[in-house]
Amino acid sequence: MSSALVVKGLTRSYGSRVVVDQLDLRVEPGDIYGFLGPNGAGKTTAMRCVLGLIRRDAGEVTLFGETGPRARRHVGAMIETPAFHLWMTGRQNLEHAAAYEGLRPKEAAPLIDRLLARVGLKERGKEKVSGYSLGMKQRLGIARALLGSPRLLVLDEPTNGLDPDGMVQMRDLIRSLARNDGLTVFLSSHLLSEVQALCTRVGIIKEGRMQVEGLVSELLSGVSAKVGPEQLLLVTASPEALEKALLEGGQITAVHAQRPGELLVDLAEGAHLASVMAALGEAGALVQSVTPVKRDFEDVYMEAVRS
């Protein structure tokens, strides 16, 4: 099966400023792929290049094994804040968009019914968009992106500006579209907790270049070579002796300063709790407690953008 999206060597400059620099990424069918990076990292520019909204200076974009303009028929997108005719109803806005898709009114009507229900706007479709909340506009934007029955849904900051309830609704909708509708989702976000809760794979860019890419589960466990290992918090009455025993035994790679009597250590590749305890036992080092420190996605992200 072909990958949903493959980007190779994507480059885009504005004058002398290189915004996207030889970017490579891969999105597999069924992924909810989080595209991350600091402000100005080139995320939106890269997404616009993928969608053909702006030209790329170099590189190749493949969608479900196809290249060129026709390949983009597989994609529906919502880039930045969606814009609508505020004097129209939600339904009328979708009818207007459906006409641009080449759908005749008779075939568009049942599709619009389904989409309004799918995004939770079935009862609000006859209301003017001027009265919609931001979350409702975001959901209407997704409905519009789904008009062409895409296989890949591209979303730029879909939870931006939403209140906590709106974020939960948007997260549940995206997850449902992937699980129940079979869509592949490619989204950018600054909300790391949302990415950790929602995405299966991520790519983190900095200054237009990919820093780290992989499964969220692997990045959190430290499998990727580009992010740090797991950590242990050790409590001991003899921290210097304990640190020396672990370093000499090759069980750890770094020690981070903590409160007196506590050591936060980075495990060396291949090391684990049992091997650490064995090394400490051989060295006769006394440990009062050992607590595995679970990585969260903020750790992964900060390591990537600071490297």
Side-chain angles (χ1 to χ4, degrees):
M1 181 183 294
S2 298
S3 297
L5 170 64
V6 179
V7 174
K8 293 184 178 179
L10 180 64
T11 301
R12 170 70 192 196
S13 300
Y14 291 101
S16 61
R17 186 168 67 95
V18 180
V19 179
V20 182
D21 189 7
Q22 294 290 313
L23 180 67
D24 295 338
L25 64 84
R26 182 180 297 271
V27 180
E28 300 298 342
D31 276 346
I32 302 178
Y33 185 107
F35 191 44
L36 311 176
N39 287 334
K43 300 186 299 299
T44 298
T45 298
M47 295 170 84
R48 288 180 177 275
C49 287
V50 166
L51 296 169
L53 298 175
I54 57 176
R55 66 170 179 80
R56 55 186 184 272
D57 298 327
E60 182 178 288
V61 175
T62 305
L63 292 157
F64 297 97
E66 300 181 33
T67 59
R70 264 191 62 77
R72 292 195 287 271
R73 72 186 187 280
H74 297 299
V75 184
M78 184 176 72
I79 300 297
E80 298 182 320
T81 303
F84 298 100
H85 299 295
L86 299 181
W87 63 91
M88 290 183 179
T89 66
R91 170 176 287 279
Q92 288 170 336
N93 270 278
L94 293 183
E95 290 170 347
H96 190 69
Y100 278 106
E101 290 280 346
L103 297 173
R104 288 177 289 190
K106 285 188 177 180
E107 59 184 337
L111 174 60
I112 290 171
D113 285 338
R114 289 197 300 274
L115 291 177
L116 286 171
R118 189 69 188 83
V119 300
L121 294 176
K122 181 179 180 180
E123 306 301 325
R124 311 294 294 270
K126 295 181 179 180
E127 297 178 17
K128 289 184 178 181
V129 174
S130 60
Y132 280 17
S133 67
L134 178 57
M136 292 169 66
K137 291 176 182 175
Q138 295 288 82
R139 284 183 276 146
L140 186 63
I142 290 180
R144 185 170 61 187
L146 295 174
L147 274 171
S149 301
R151 299 166 66 185
L152 171 65
L153 184 61
V154 177
L155 304 174
D156 188 15
E157 301 280 357
T159 58
N160 190 33
L162 300 185
D163 61 22
D165 185 56
M167 289 180 188
V168 171
Q169 291 178 13
M170 181 60 66
R171 183 179 65 207
D172 290 345
L173 174 59
I174 292 170
R175 184 181 288 118
S176 177
L177 289 170
R179 289 181 178 175
N180 301 325
D181 296 54
L183 283 173
T184 301
V185 181
F186 180 88
L187 64 90
S188 68
S189 178
H190 283 107
L191 301 174
L192 301 182
S193 60
E194 287 293 300
V195 169
Q196 183 172 343
L198 181 61
C199 295
T200 54
R201 296 181 70 242
V202 298
I204 304 173
I205 68 171
K206 175 187 175 184
E207 297 176 351
R209 281 185 172 269
M210 185 64 73
Q211 300 299 300
V212 62
E213 183 180 41
L215 292 169
V216 171
S217 58
E218 290 183 352
L219 296 176
L220 288 172
S221 65
V223 170
S224 169
K226 283 200 172 186
V227 296
E230 293 186 51
Q231 297 179 314
L232 296 176
L233 180 64
L234 308 174
V235 179
T236 175
S238 53
E240 294 83 3
L242 186 149
E243 179 180 344
K244 181 180 178 181
L246 291 177
L247 285 170
E248 290 179 349
Q251 296 297 315
I252 64 174
T253 58
V255 178
H256 307 279
Q258 296 292 301
R259 291 177 295 182
E262 293 185 352
L263 294 177
L264 180 64
V265 301
D266 291 344
L267 293 181
E269 185 175 353
H272 47 77
L273 180 58
S275 64
V276 168
M277 297 307 295
L280 292 174
E282 291 176 6
L286 298 177
V287 182
Q288 294 168 302
S289 68
V290 180
T291 307
V293 178
K294 186 177 180 181
R295 292 164 57 85
D296 63 25
F297 206 75
E298 183 176 347
D299 299 323
V300 175
Y301 178 83
M302 295 309 298
E303 288 168 8
V305 300
R306 287 176 176 173
S307 62

